[in-house]
Amino acid sequence: LLQVRRNREVAEHILIIADDVTDYFRLKFPSAHWSVWLDRAVDRIIEITGVGRDVADRAAKAAVARKSVRLDSEGENLAPKAGQ
């Protein structure tokens, strides 16, 4: 039970870091193709947390999704539409 609680806390910390890192890269490279800054964000999450690439990738994508950033098929950032 304690291990489950600890794992949940670690996961929450990774998600907080992913939120901060993706915010930083999205603001730093607003006109860059999304895959460029997402890859950089994943690398930075790995550097900060030491997690594997798959975990960092999922955390970064979850952070982007939570912020309702819509990415079109060409990779352009689209602002959320009103009411979404």
Side-chain angles (χ1 to χ4, degrees), residues 5-25:
R5 183 177 178 193
R6 183 175 181 334
N7 289 346
R8 182 174 295 143
E9 289 173 356
V10 170
E12 288 173 3
H13 287 115
I14 292 169
L15 291 176
I16 291 168
I17 291 167
D19 281 340
D20 289 346
V21 169
T22 55
D23 284 347
Y24 170 79
F25 279 102

mmCIF file of all heavy atoms in Angstrom, residues 5-25:
data_model
loop_
_atom_site.group_PDB
_atom_site.id
_atom_site.type_symbol
_atom_site.label_atom_id
_atom_site.label_comp_id
_atom_site.label_asym_id
_atom_site.label_seq_id
_atom_site.Cartn_x
_atom_site.Cartn_y
_atom_site.Cartn_z
ATOM 1 N N ARG A 5 1.216 4.257 -2.988
ATOM 2 C CA ARG A 5 1.115 5.689 -2.673
ATOM 3 C C ARG A 5 2.358 6.440 -3.151
ATOM 4 O O ARG A 5 2.257 7.505 -3.738
ATOM 5 C CB ARG A 5 0.927 5.876 -1.171
ATOM 6 C CG ARG A 5 0.737 7.298 -0.770
ATOM 7 C CD ARG A 5 0.475 7.414 0.706
ATOM 8 N NE ARG A 5 0.337 8.803 1.079
ATOM 9 C CZ ARG A 5 0.350 9.220 2.307
ATOM 10 N NH1 ARG A 5 0.482 8.351 3.309
ATOM 11 N NH2 ARG A 5 0.227 10.498 2.591
ATOM 12 N N ARG A 6 3.514 5.870 -2.923
ATOM 13 C CA ARG A 6 4.756 6.503 -3.353
ATOM 14 C C ARG A 6 4.822 6.593 -4.877
ATOM 15 O O ARG A 6 5.218 7.620 -5.420
ATOM 16 C CB ARG A 6 5.969 5.729 -2.832
ATOM 17 C CG ARG A 6 7.282 6.397 -3.189
ATOM 18 C CD ARG A 6 8.468 5.706 -2.586
ATOM 19 N NE ARG A 6 9.774 6.185 -2.791
ATOM 20 C CZ ARG A 6 10.283 6.893 -3.778
ATOM 21 N NH1 ARG A 6 9.511 7.288 -4.736
ATOM 22 N NH2 ARG A 6 11.536 7.246 -3.845
ATOM 23 N N ASN A 7 4.432 5.527 -5.565
ATOM 24 C CA ASN A 7 4.412 5.544 -7.027
ATOM 25 C C ASN A 7 3.479 6.630 -7.562
ATOM 26 O O ASN A 7 3.796 7.304 -8.545
ATOM 27 C CB ASN A 7 4.009 4.186 -7.587
ATOM 28 C CG ASN A 7 5.075 3.138 -7.395
ATOM 29 O OD1 ASN A 7 6.214 3.448 -7.072
ATOM 30 N ND2 ASN A 7 4.705 1.889 -7.566
ATOM 31 N N ARG A 8 2.340 6.786 -6.922
ATOM 32 C CA ARG A 8 1.382 7.814 -7.338
ATOM 33 C C ARG A 8 1.976 9.207 -7.138
ATOM 34 O O ARG A 8 1.839 10.084 -7.994
ATOM 35 C CB ARG A 8 0.085 7.681 -6.556
ATOM 36 C CG ARG A 8 -0.958 8.707 -6.989
ATOM 37 C CD ARG A 8 -2.290 8.503 -6.324
ATOM 38 N NE ARG A 8 -2.830 7.233 -6.768
ATOM 39 C CZ ARG A 8 -3.527 6.405 -5.998
ATOM 40 N NH1 ARG A 8 -3.785 6.722 -4.759
ATOM 41 N NH2 ARG A 8 -3.984 5.272 -6.467
ATOM 42 N N GLU A 9 2.653 9.417 -6.018
ATOM 43 C CA GLU A 9 3.278 10.722 -5.755
ATOM 44 C C GLU A 9 4.388 11.019 -6.767
ATOM 45 O O GLU A 9 4.501 12.151 -7.239
ATOM 46 C CB GLU A 9 3.827 10.767 -4.336
ATOM 47 C CG GLU A 9 2.741 10.822 -3.278
ATOM 48 C CD GLU A 9 3.278 10.693 -1.863
ATOM 49 O OE1 GLU A 9 4.503 10.490 -1.693
ATOM 50 O OE2 GLU A 9 2.481 10.805 -0.922
ATOM 51 N N VAL A 10 5.184 10.024 -7.093
ATOM 52 C CA VAL A 10 6.241 10.203 -8.093
ATOM 53 C C VAL A 10 5.628 10.539 -9.445
ATOM 54 O O VAL A 10 6.094 11.453 -10.148
ATOM 55 C CB VAL A 10 7.136 8.947 -8.187
ATOM 56 C CG1 VAL A 10 8.067 9.015 -9.384
ATOM 57 C CG2 VAL A 10 7.940 8.775 -6.901
ATOM 58 N N ALA A 11 4.569 9.846 -9.823
ATOM 59 C CA ALA A 11 3.894 10.116 -11.094
ATOM 60 C C ALA A 11 3.351 11.539 -11.127
ATOM 61 O O ALA A 11 3.467 12.237 -12.144
ATOM 62 C CB ALA A 11 2.770 9.111 -11.320
ATOM 63 N N GLU A 12 2.785 12.003 -10.030
ATOM 64 C CA GLU A 12 2.268 13.365 -9.962
ATOM 65 C C GLU A 12 3.397 14.384 -10.132
ATOM 66 O O GLU A 12 3.231 15.392 -10.825
ATOM 67 C CB GLU A 12 1.530 13.596 -8.650
ATOM 68 C CG GLU A 12 0.198 12.881 -8.580
ATOM 69 C CD GLU A 12 -0.460 12.967 -7.219
ATOM 70 O OE1 GLU A 12 0.088 13.632 -6.308
ATOM 71 O OE2 GLU A 12 -1.527 12.372 -7.055
ATOM 72 N N HIS A 13 4.546 14.120 -9.523
ATOM 73 C CA HIS A 13 5.689 15.029 -9.661
ATOM 74 C C HIS A 13 6.190 15.060 -11.108
ATOM 75 O O HIS A 13 6.533 16.124 -11.629
ATOM 76 C CB HIS A 13 6.817 14.630 -8.708
ATOM 77 C CG HIS A 13 6.522 14.953 -7.291
ATOM 78 N ND1 HIS A 13 6.376 13.994 -6.330
ATOM 79 C CD2 HIS A 13 6.331 16.141 -6.666
ATOM 80 C CE1 HIS A 13 6.110 14.562 -5.173
ATOM 81 N NE2 HIS A 13 6.069 15.868 -5.352
ATOM 82 N N ILE A 14 6.223 13.916 -11.747
ATOM 83 C CA ILE A 14 6.651 13.866 -13.155
ATOM 84 C C ILE A 14 5.696 14.673 -14.030
ATOM 85 O O ILE A 14 6.131 15.414 -14.922
ATOM 86 C CB ILE A 14 6.767 12.403 -13.646
ATOM 87 C CG1 ILE A 14 7.934 11.710 -12.937
ATOM 88 C CG2 ILE A 14 6.949 12.342 -15.162
ATOM 89 C CD1 ILE A 14 7.987 10.217 -13.139
ATOM 90 N N LEU A 15 4.403 14.573 -13.761
ATOM 91 C CA LEU A 15 3.426 15.332 -14.541
ATOM 92 C C LEU A 15 3.554 16.838 -14.314
ATOM 93 O O LEU A 15 3.407 17.624 -15.249
ATOM 94 C CB LEU A 15 2.003 14.867 -14.226
ATOM 95 C CG LEU A 15 1.658 13.470 -14.723
ATOM 96 C CD1 LEU A 15 0.256 13.082 -14.273
ATOM 97 C CD2 LEU A 15 1.780 13.383 -16.228
ATOM 98 N N ILE A 16 3.850 17.249 -13.096
ATOM 99 C CA ILE A 16 4.069 18.672 -12.816
ATOM 100 C C ILE A 16 5.285 19.177 -13.582
ATOM 101 O O ILE A 16 5.252 20.250 -14.195
ATOM 102 C CB ILE A 16 4.229 18.912 -11.299
ATOM 103 C CG1 ILE A 16 2.895 18.668 -10.594
ATOM 104 C CG2 ILE A 16 4.760 20.322 -11.018
ATOM 105 C CD1 ILE A 16 2.996 18.591 -9.083
ATOM 106 N N ILE A 17 6.349 18.398 -13.577
ATOM 107 C CA ILE A 17 7.550 18.760 -14.325
ATOM 108 C C ILE A 17 7.240 18.822 -15.815
ATOM 109 O O ILE A 17 7.654 19.753 -16.514
ATOM 110 C CB ILE A 17 8.696 17.784 -14.017
ATOM 111 C CG1 ILE A 17 9.162 17.991 -12.572
ATOM 112 C CG2 ILE A 17 9.857 17.954 -14.998
ATOM 113 C CD1 ILE A 17 10.059 16.893 -12.035
ATOM 114 N N ALA A 18 6.486 17.852 -16.320
ATOM 115 C CA ALA A 18 6.120 17.838 -17.738
ATOM 116 C C ALA A 18 5.290 19.067 -18.094
ATOM 117 O O ALA A 18 5.483 19.652 -19.172
ATOM 118 C CB ALA A 18 5.357 16.561 -18.080
ATOM 119 N N ASP A 19 4.392 19.475 -17.216
ATOM 120 C CA ASP A 19 3.606 20.695 -17.452
ATOM 121 C C ASP A 19 4.518 21.905 -17.598
ATOM 122 O O ASP A 19 4.380 22.695 -18.529
ATOM 123 C CB ASP A 19 2.627 20.950 -16.305
ATOM 124 C CG ASP A 19 1.385 20.093 -16.366
ATOM 125 O OD1 ASP A 19 1.068 19.569 -17.451
ATOM 126 O OD2 ASP A 19 0.729 19.951 -15.322
ATOM 127 N N ASP A 20 5.448 22.050 -16.663
ATOM 128 C CA ASP A 20 6.357 23.200 -16.692
ATOM 129 C C ASP A 20 7.251 23.178 -17.928
ATOM 130 O O ASP A 20 7.454 24.202 -18.579
ATOM 131 C CB ASP A 20 7.218 23.233 -15.434
ATOM 132 C CG ASP A 20 6.444 23.602 -14.182
ATOM 133 O OD1 ASP A 20 5.299 24.095 -14.312
ATOM 134 O OD2 ASP A 20 6.972 23.393 -13.078
ATOM 135 N N VAL A 21 7.788 22.016 -18.252
ATOM 136 C CA VAL A 21 8.701 21.901 -19.388
ATOM 137 C C VAL A 21 7.966 22.169 -20.707
ATOM 138 O O VAL A 21 8.466 22.912 -21.562
ATOM 139 C CB VAL A 21 9.392 20.519 -19.401
ATOM 140 C CG1 VAL A 21 10.136 20.274 -20.694
ATOM 141 C CG2 VAL A 21 10.341 20.404 -18.210
ATOM 142 N N THR A 22 6.785 21.601 -20.885
ATOM 143 C CA THR A 22 6.059 21.830 -22.133
ATOM 144 C C THR A 22 5.604 23.279 -22.252
ATOM 145 O O THR A 22 5.627 23.848 -23.344
ATOM 146 C CB THR A 22 4.862 20.869 -22.300
ATOM 147 O OG1 THR A 22 4.005 20.971 -21.158
ATOM 148 C CG2 THR A 22 5.323 19.436 -22.489
ATOM 149 N N ASP A 23 5.228 23.915 -21.142
ATOM 150 C CA ASP A 23 4.898 25.343 -21.170
ATOM 151 C C ASP A 23 6.101 26.151 -21.650
ATOM 152 O O ASP A 23 5.978 27.038 -22.491
ATOM 153 C CB ASP A 23 4.495 25.849 -19.787
ATOM 154 C CG ASP A 23 3.097 25.436 -19.380
ATOM 155 O OD1 ASP A 23 2.335 24.971 -20.248
ATOM 156 O OD2 ASP A 23 2.778 25.591 -18.187
ATOM 157 N N TYR A 24 7.253 25.855 -21.088
ATOM 158 C CA TYR A 24 8.468 26.565 -21.449
ATOM 159 C C TYR A 24 8.769 26.448 -22.943
ATOM 160 O O TYR A 24 8.996 27.454 -23.623
ATOM 161 C CB TYR A 24 9.652 26.030 -20.637
ATOM 162 C CG TYR A 24 10.981 26.541 -21.117
ATOM 163 C CD1 TYR A 24 11.421 27.813 -20.774
ATOM 164 C CD2 TYR A 24 11.793 25.755 -21.918
ATOM 165 C CE1 TYR A 24 12.637 28.291 -21.225
ATOM 166 C CE2 TYR A 24 13.020 26.226 -22.375
ATOM 167 C CZ TYR A 24 13.440 27.495 -22.017
ATOM 168 O OH TYR A 24 14.648 27.960 -22.474
ATOM 169 N N PHE A 25 8.757 25.230 -23.465
ATOM 170 C CA PHE A 25 9.113 25.031 -24.871
ATOM 171 C C PHE A 25 8.046 25.574 -25.819
ATOM 172 O O PHE A 25 8.372 26.105 -26.884
ATOM 173 C CB PHE A 25 9.404 23.562 -25.165
ATOM 174 C CG PHE A 25 10.781 23.162 -24.756
ATOM 175 C CD1 PHE A 25 11.008 22.459 -23.587
ATOM 176 C CD2 PHE A 25 11.880 23.514 -25.527
ATOM 177 C CE1 PHE A 25 12.293 22.110 -23.201
ATOM 178 C CE2 PHE A 25 13.168 23.173 -25.150
ATOM 179 C CZ PHE A 25 13.375 22.466 -23.992
#
